[in-house]
C-alpha cells in the first residue's frame, strides 16, 4: 500500500496575447478533480484582453503577473520562482488538460516513481488550430530513450518535472528561443531516466501557424543542434541529419509548388507510410 502523501502539482502557463484560448486553459486546471494543485500564469504584457481575462479569473489562479519578458523561457523561469509544487508542468496558453481527472490519475502514478527519476510524462493529443483531434503522441521511454539524444522525442506540454530537477539542473537557458525545454531535459536525460505513464492523455495541444513553416523548422533544428553540442554531442546523428534533409525538401516544395499543394503532397507521403493526415489539417 502506498502511504506517500499526495504530491502538490504546479501548473505554469506563459501567455502573450492569448485571450482567444487562455480561458479554456484556465478552466481545464480549475476543474481538475485533484485538489493539490496551483496555477501560475506569466503574461508578457499582452495588448489584447488577456489581462482583463486574468483579472476576471483571479480566484482560479494562485499567482499571475503581466510584465515584459524575454520570451517563453524567461516567463517560465519567473513562474518557477513562485512554484511550490512537488511536481511542475508547463502548458501553453492554447493547451489544456484533456479531462477533469488527468491530475488525479497522474498523481497516483507520480507518488510511485522513485525519487531519482525526475521526469514523468504521458501522451498528448495533437489538435488542429480549430480544436479538432488529429492523433495522440507519446511513447514509452525505453522506446525513445536513444532517439531523445537526437531530437525531442517525448511530448513536453503537461510533462511532469520533479521540483528537485530544477535544484539539480538549474532553470531554463533563456538564450534558446524555441528548444529551451529540450536543452533542459537533455541535462537530465542524457544520463538519467524518465518515467512514461501509460493510458493517460494529459493535454490537448493545438498545431499549425508558424510551427508548420519549414523556415521555422530549420531554426528549431539549428537550436536542437546547439543544445546537443552544449551537452557533448560534437557530431550530428543520423536522425538529426535526416530531419534537416526533410525540412529542406519541404522548403523546396513549398517555394516551387506553393504551400497548398505541398501540404497535400506531404499528407500523401504520410498516407503511404501508414500515418494519419497532418499537413492539410494544420494550416
Amino acid at each position: 500500500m502506498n502511504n506517500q502523501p499526495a504530491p502538490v502539482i504546479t501548473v505554469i502557463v506563459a501567455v502573450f496575447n492569448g485571450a482567444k484560448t487562455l480561458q479554456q486553459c484556465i478552466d481545464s486546471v480549475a476543474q481538475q478533480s485533484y485538489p493539490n494543485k496551483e496555477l501560475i500564469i506569466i503574461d508578457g504584457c499582452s495588448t489584447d484582453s488577456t489581462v482583463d481575462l486574468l483579472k476576471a479569473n483571479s480566484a482560479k489562479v494562485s499567482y499571475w503577473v503581466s510584465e515584459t519578458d524575454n520570451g517563453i523561457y524567461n516567463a517560465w523561469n519567473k513562474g518557477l520562482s513562485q512554484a511550490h509544487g512537488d511536481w511542475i508542468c508547463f502548458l501553453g496558453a492554447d493547451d489544456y488538460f484533456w479531462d477533469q481527472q488527468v491530475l488525479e490519475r497522474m498523481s497516483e502514478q507520480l507518488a510511485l516513481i522513485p525519487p531519482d527519476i525526475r521526469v514523468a510524462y504521458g501522451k498528448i493529443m495533437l489538435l488542429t488550430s480549430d480544436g479538432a483531434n488529429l492523433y495522440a503522441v507519446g511513447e514509452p521511454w525505453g522506446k525513445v530513450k536513444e532517439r531523445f539524444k537526437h531530437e525531442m522525442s517525448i511530448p513536453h506540454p503537461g510533462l511532469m518535472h520533479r521540483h528537485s530537477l530544477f535544484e539539480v539542473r538549474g532553470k531554463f537557458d533563456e538564450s534558446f528561443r524555441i528548444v529551451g525545454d529540450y536543452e533542459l531535459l537533455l541535462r537530465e536525460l542524457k544520463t538519467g531516466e524518465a518515467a512514461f505513464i501509460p493510458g493517460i492523455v494529459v493535454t490537448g495541444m493545438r498545431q499549425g501557424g508558424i510551427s508548420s513553416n519549414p523556415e521555422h523548422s530549420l531554426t528549431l533544428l539549428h537550436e536542437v543542434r546547439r543544445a546537443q553540442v552544449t551537452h557533448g554531442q560534437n557530431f550530428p546523428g543520423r536522425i538529426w541529419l535526416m530531419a534537416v534533409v526533410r525540412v529542406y525538401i519541404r522548403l523546396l516544395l513549398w517555394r516551387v509548388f506553393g504551400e497548398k499543394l505541398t501540404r497535400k503532397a506531404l499528407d500523401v507521403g504520410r498516407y503511404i507510410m501508414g500515418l494519419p493526415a497532418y499537413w492539410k489539417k494544420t494550416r
Side-chain angles (χ1 to χ4, degrees), residues 116-118 141 145 169 185-194:
D116 60 327
I117 294 182
R118 294 184 280 255
W141 177 240
K145 179 178 179 179
R169 304 298 184 187
L185 291 173
L186 260 182
R187 294 181 221 166
E188 173 73 7
L189 298 179
K190 64 183 179 181
T191 55
E193 299 292 333

Side-chain angles (χ1 to χ4, degrees), residues 76-94:
W76 283 358
N77 283 338
K78 289 180 182 180
L80 283 170
S81 68
Q82 302 294 327
H84 302 96
D86 303 293
W87 292 86
I88 300 168
C89 70
F90 301 87
L91 297 182
D94 52 358

Side-chain angles (χ1 to χ4, degrees), residues 209-252:
I210 190 172
S211 63
S212 65
N213 188 298
E215 292 183 355
H216 178 271
S217 297
L218 284 176
T219 302
L220 182 149
L221 285 168
H222 288 146
E223 283 208 357
V224 165
R225 188 71 198 109
R226 178 160 74 90
Q228 293 168 351
V229 171
T230 299
H231 294 284
Q233 298 182 47
N234 294 323
F235 300 99
R238 179 184 60 84
I239 292 174
W240 183 88
L241 290 171
M242 289 302 296
V244 171
V245 170
R246 287 195 300 271
V247 171
Y248 272 111
I249 291 172
R250 181 154 49 99
L251 182 61
L252 176 62

Side-chain angles (χ1 to χ4, degrees), residues 1-282:
M1 181 176 179
N2 176 37
N3 294 317
Q4 293 292 324
V8 176
I9 299 175
T10 298
V11 181
I12 298 176
V13 177
V15 59
F16 178 72
N17 288 348
K20 290 182 179 179
T21 58
L22 182 59
Q23 186 66 59
Q24 183 182 28
C25 179
I26 292 174
D27 288 343
S28 79
V29 179
Q31 294 168 3
Q32 288 295 304
S33 59
Y34 187 67
N36 294 354
K37 62 183 183 294
E38 64 176 3
L39 173 59
I40 294 170
I41 301 180
I42 309 298
D43 174 57
C45 216
S46 290
T47 57
D48 65 356
S49 58
T50 294
V51 174
D52 292 333
L53 190 151
L54 288 170
K55 291 176 180 177
N57 287 272
S58 59
K60 301 176 182 178
V61 182
S62 302
Y63 173 88
W64 70 270
V65 67
S66 180
E67 60 188 20
T68 56
D69 59 42
N70 294 316
I72 187 171
Y73 301 114
N74 178 237
W76 283 358
N77 283 338
K78 289 180 182 180
L80 283 170
S81 68
Q82 302 294 327
H84 302 96
D86 303 293
W87 292 86
I88 300 168
C89 70
F90 301 87
L91 297 182
D94 52 358
D95 303 332
Y96 58 91
F97 285 125
W98 194 240
D99 60 53
Q100 296 180 7
Q101 287 75 46
V102 162
L103 291 187
E104 185 172 350
R105 285 181 284 138
M106 287 290 285
S107 68
E108 294 170 355
Q109 300 302 313
L110 294 174
L112 303 175
I113 294 175
D116 60 327
I117 294 182
R118 294 184 280 255
V119 174
Y121 65 99
K123 289 179 175 287
I124 67 171
M125 180 65 70
L126 300 184
L127 309 169
T128 68
S129 59
D130 296 328
N133 294 2
L134 287 170
Y135 49 87
V137 296
E139 298 178 286
W141 177 240
K143 186 174 181 179
V144 300
K145 179 178 179 179
E146 287 304 312
R147 200 166 87 224
F148 185 81
K149 297 174 183 178
H150 306 285
E151 65 177 1
M152 184 66 158
S153 57
I154 57 178
H156 192 256
L159 179 147
M160 299 291 166
H161 312 69
R162 198 184 289 273
H163 196 284
S164 61
L165 170 68
F166 301 100
E167 297 168 356
V168 174
R169 304 298 184 187
K171 293 185 177 182
F172 293 98
D173 183 342
E174 296 176 14
S175 70
F176 288 90
R177 308 305 296 175
I178 306 176
V179 303
D181 46 352
Y182 175 64
E183 189 278 328
L184 173 72
L185 291 173
L186 260 182
R187 294 181 221 166
E188 173 73 7
L189 298 179
K190 64 183 179 181
T191 55
E193 299 292 333
F196 174 67
I197 300 176
I200 300 178
V201 174
V202 181
T203 60
M205 179 184 179
R206 288 178 174 85
Q207 302 291 289
I210 190 172
S211 63
S212 65
N213 188 298
E215 292 183 355
H216 178 271
S217 297
L218 284 176
T219 302
L220 182 149
L221 285 168
H222 288 146
E223 283 208 357
V224 165
R225 188 71 198 109
R226 178 160 74 90
Q228 293 168 351
V229 171
T230 299
H231 294 284
Q233 298 182 47
N234 294 323
F235 300 99
R238 179 184 60 84
I239 292 174
W240 183 88
L241 290 171
M242 289 302 296
V244 171
V245 170
R246 287 195 300 271
V247 171
Y248 272 111
I249 291 172
R250 181 154 49 99
L251 182 61
L252 176 62
L253 293 173
W254 208 280
R255 290 177 175 174
V256 173
F257 298 107
E259 179 180 346
K260 185 176 181 179
L261 284 177
T262 298
R263 286 181 179 275
K264 289 182 178 180
L266 291 170
D267 272 341
V268 169
R270 290 179 62 84
Y271 176 77
I272 292 171
M273 293 186 290
L275 299 173
Y278 175 86
W279 294 102
K280 289 186 291 185
K281 298 183 178 182
T282 56

